[in-house]
Amino acid sequence: MIEAGRVAVVTGGGRGIGRAIAVRLALEGADIAISYRSNDEAAEESAKLVREAGVRCEAFKGDVASQEDVDALFKGVDEAFGRVDILVNNAGVTRDNLIMRMKEEEFDEVLRTNLKGTYLCTRAVLRKMVRARWGRIVNVSSVVGLVGNAGQANYAASKAGLLGFTKSVAREVAQRGITVNAVAPGYVETELTGSLPDKVKDQILGQVPMGRFGTPEEISEVVAFLAGEGAGYVTGQTITVDGGMVMQ
């Protein structure tokens, strides 16, 4: 459970897993700030769904890879809500290509958004969390960061980097009442997977013991637990939500 009155920031909250997380935390009673990069319509739809849960919600447009935009985001959150208790670093991009064909900008953009963006947002909230002696940070990684995937060296590197980042920050702030954990989703039903040919879907499902894709809502359930009061003794962990694809 999340204590009433908590404020959560969800990056990449305009659609997909981010939207599901924002709505799930709202159902727990948290006020929500959604950060998104470009799709105004999708962000407003997310905000509408969150408000229907009976909590406050504000949407902030910007790029988490930009220090200037991150400063503006948390300035806006502070003005609107006065605090940040929960940060979900979910914003991410893919620029898939085989490594021999991968352009430098394709590598840099993915690392900049997925990894540097998490660093910038985490650094922005930690000082206030330390003063409050309470905080929850959840980083959305991927099973690709654990096992790799052909054509996704940049994405896998960024998501693997998140796991090391999670453990390091968790060690730094563990005695301050702040937990830092990662969730590593497997293949999830999104716009991307929905457009895949049936043959490719069958190949993917052959790697998943449960034989199906996950849903954004199933990812959000785990995030909600890690963001809640009951997860106060869980930190530095990576929880895979993947239908058994990766068993550690």
Side-chain angles (χ1 to χ4, degrees):
M1 294 291 291
I2 294 174
E3 185 179 295
R6 297 286 190 201
V7 174
V9 175
V10 181
T11 70
R15 55 187 175 179
I17 291 173
R19 174 182 288 178
I21 291 168
V23 171
R24 183 65 183 82
L25 297 183
L27 291 171
E28 290 279 321
D31 291 328
I32 306 294
I34 290 170
S35 161
Y36 71 103
R37 186 163 73 169
S38 58
N39 193 326
D40 298 334
E41 187 177 343
E44 190 46 50
E45 178 63 22
S46 289
K48 178 174 176 263
L49 292 170
V50 167
R51 291 179 187 125
E52 286 174 356
V55 301
R56 296 171 59 204
C57 182
E58 298 292 338
F60 299 89
K61 188 173 185 176
D63 184 355
V64 295
S66 161
Q67 179 69 72
E68 184 179 352
D69 286 4
V70 169
D71 288 345
L73 164 64
F74 288 100
K75 183 175 185 289
V77 172
D78 192 50
E79 290 172 353
F81 300 103
R83 60 194 287 183
V84 176
D85 304 291
I86 299 161
L87 170 64
V88 181
N89 286 304
N90 170 73
V93 298
T94 57
R95 297 291 181 267
D96 297 350
N97 216 336
L98 295 174
I99 193 67
M100 289 187 292
R101 298 176 186 166
M102 186 177 290
K103 297 175 183 175
E104 188 174 348
E105 53 266 30
E106 289 174 331
F107 187 87
D108 288 347
E109 183 181 359
V110 171
L111 270 290
R112 197 164 51 240
T113 300
N114 300 4
L115 191 52
K116 184 184 177 184
T118 295
Y119 149 72
L120 290 175
C121 291
T122 300
R123 189 178 65 172
V125 301
L126 270 183
R127 197 174 299 278
K128 285 193 174 183
M129 287 183 176
V130 167
R131 282 202 294 266
R133 299 195 71 81
W134 199 95
R136 300 284 185 267
I137 298 173
V138 183
N139 300 321
V140 179
S141 180
S142 169
V143 292
V144 171
L146 294 167
V147 300
N149 196 31
Q152 289 193 307
N154 48 2
Y155 186 72
S158 71
K159 293 301 189 178
L162 278 180
L163 303 183
F165 179 85
T166 296
K167 293 172 185 177
S168 298
V169 179
R171 288 184 182 276
E172 290 183 20
V173 299
Q175 293 186 347
R176 306 287 184 157
I178 303 165
T179 67
V180 189
N181 292 287
V183 173
Y187 290 102
V188 176
E189 291 174 356
T190 62
E191 295 171 11
L192 178 63
T193 54
S195 64
L196 292 172
D198 288 341
K199 183 179 179 181
V200 175
K201 287 182 182 179
D202 291 342
Q203 289 173 343
I204 291 171
L205 294 177
Q207 305 173 50
V208 181
M210 284 191 172
R212 66 173 178 86
F213 291 111
T215 68
E217 289 71 26
E218 287 173 317
I219 309 304
S220 73
E221 289 292 333
V222 178
V223 174
F225 165 70
L226 292 173
E229 309 295 324
Y233 202 56
V234 181
T235 198
Q237 303 303 308
T238 299
I239 300 179
T240 54
V241 190
D242 62 357
M245 182 180 164
V246 178
M247 299 191 188
Q248 296 175 308

